[in-house]
Amino acid sequence: MRRVTHSSPEMSDLNINKIAEIIRNGDKKFIFLVGAGISTSAGIPDFRSPKTGLYHNLQKLKLPYAEAVFDIDYFSNNPKPFYILSKELYPGQFLPTSFHLLVKLMEQRKLLKRIYTQNIDTLERLSGIHDDYIVEAHGSFNANHCIDCGSSFENESFKELIFKDIHPTCEKCDGLVKPDITFFGEALPAKFFDKWDADFTEIDEKGDFVLVTAGTSLSVYPFASLPGEVSKRTQRVLVNKEIVGDYKTSPRKTDIIILDDIDTFADELIRELNWSKDFEKLSLKI
Ligand code: CNA
C-alpha cells in the first residue's frame, strides 16, 4: 500500500479498522467536509500544495496576488485570468476519484447525511450522489449569471466562449458573466447556511454522527470553522496529507487522524468493507 512519508502505517491501518467498524455497526450517519485534495488524483490541482497547487502555478497569469483570480473586484476589472483558469478547470475533463465513489457507496447504504464541498468541479454530482446530499459551499460551474444585472447565461454558451478565449458577456446589459462560484468578497450560497443550521442542530441533539474532514487546508472561512462547531459527542475524522485547522489547534482525544493520500484511504476502506464489487460496478457506470 502506497503511503506518504509522514504517515505511520500501523496508525493508519488501525484507524481505517476503527472507521470500518463504525460503518459496519450502521448506527451512525456520516457528514463529509471536503476540499480540493479529494480531486487532485482526478488531475485537478488544489490551491495550496507546494509546487503542484494552482496558486504556485498562477504566475503565468501575472496576478498581483494569487487569490486575485477569485476576487470579485479584481474580476470586474480584469476577468481574463479567471476565464483562462476556468478553461483548465471546466467540468467534463475529469472523472470522480475513489473517494467520491466511496461517498456514493455510503449514500447507497443510507449512511450518508451530507457532503459539504468547497470544490467547484462538480465531481460529487458526476459520481451520482443525489443533489439533496450535496452542499456546494463555494458554488460551482453548474450555472452562470451576469455580475451586473443577474441574468442567467446558458452553460453551453459559456463553455463555448471561454474555450474560444472570448469573454462571455450578458445578452441584456453587456455585463461580465461568471459561473456561480463564490468569489472572495461574495456571500456563500443560502443552501450552505440553511443545511448547516439544520444538520448542526441534529448533530447536537442526537450525537450519532461521524464528521469526516478530507482534502482541505481549512483555510477558507466560514467553512473552516465547521469542525470546531460540532459537539464533543461527534466522532471527528481527518483524512489529509497534513494536520489542519481545529484538528491542529484544538485536538480532541477521540479524533481519528489519517495522514495519508485520500484515494489510498478510500481504496483501503472499500477493501476492508468488502465493497470492491459495488465499487467496480459504480466505476463502470461513470
Ligand atoms: P487547499 O487550500 O489547496 O488545500 C488542499 C488540502 O488537501 C491540503 O491540506 C493538502 O495537503 C491536501 N491534499 C491535497 N492532495 C491530497 C491527497 N491526494 N491526499 C490527501 N490530502 C491531499 O484547498 P481547499 O479546498 O482547502 O481550499 C478551498 C478552496 C479551494 C475552495 O474555495 C475551492 O473552490 C478551491 N479549489 C477547488 C478545486 C476543485 O474544485 N477541485 C481545485 C482547486 C481549488
Side-chain angles (χ1 to χ4, degrees), residues 82-90 93 162-165:
F82 173 73
Y83 290 136
I84 293 174
L85 193 67
S86 296
K87 216 163 103 173
E88 275 182 41
L89 296 181
Y90 204 82
Q93 312 175 77
I162 58 162
F163 275 80
K164 284 183 185 161
D165 296 323

Side-chain angles (χ1 to χ4, degrees), residues 195-207 209:
K195 289 285 178 201
W196 181 254
D197 278 353
D199 289 349
F200 176 77
T201 308
E202 217 181 316
I203 293 169
D204 219 30
E205 283 169 3
K206 292 190 182 160
F209 288 97

Side-chain angles (χ1 to χ4, degrees), residues 140-165:
S140 79
F141 280 102
N142 219 33
N144 318 282
H145 287 91
C146 166
I147 61 165
D148 292 332
C149 75
S151 299
S152 62
F153 193 91
E154 228 186 275
N155 274 338
E156 270 313 306
S157 314
F158 180 85
K159 185 180 172 187
E160 203 182 312
L161 291 171
I162 58 162
F163 275 80
K164 284 183 185 161
D165 296 323

Side-chain angles (χ1 to χ4, degrees), residues 18 63 81 84 87 99 108 115 123 182 226 253 260 263:
K18 266 193 215 167
L63 294 161
I84 293 174
K87 216 163 103 173
F99 189 87
Q108 288 176 342
I115 175 162
L123 290 185
T182 312
L226 304 185
K253 271 190 197 144
D260 211 333
D263 274 357

Side-chain angles (χ1 to χ4, degrees), residues 207-226:
D208 50 2
F209 288 97
V210 180
L211 186 91
V212 181
T213 304
T216 171
S217 61
L218 287 181
S219 31
V220 181
Y221 286 83
F223 196 97
S225 61
L226 304 185

Side-chain angles (χ1 to χ4, degrees), residues 35-37 39-40 44-49 54 118-121 138 215-218 220 240-242 260-262:
S39 295
T40 48
I44 309 172
D46 65 6
F47 271 173
R48 295 176 183 82
S49 281
L54 280 172
Q118 297 170 93
N119 295 343
I120 52 178
D121 55 32
H138 295 166
T216 171
S217 61
L218 287 181
V220 181
N240 213 42
K241 282 189 180 166
E242 51 181 349
D260 211 333
D261 174 72
I262 297 279

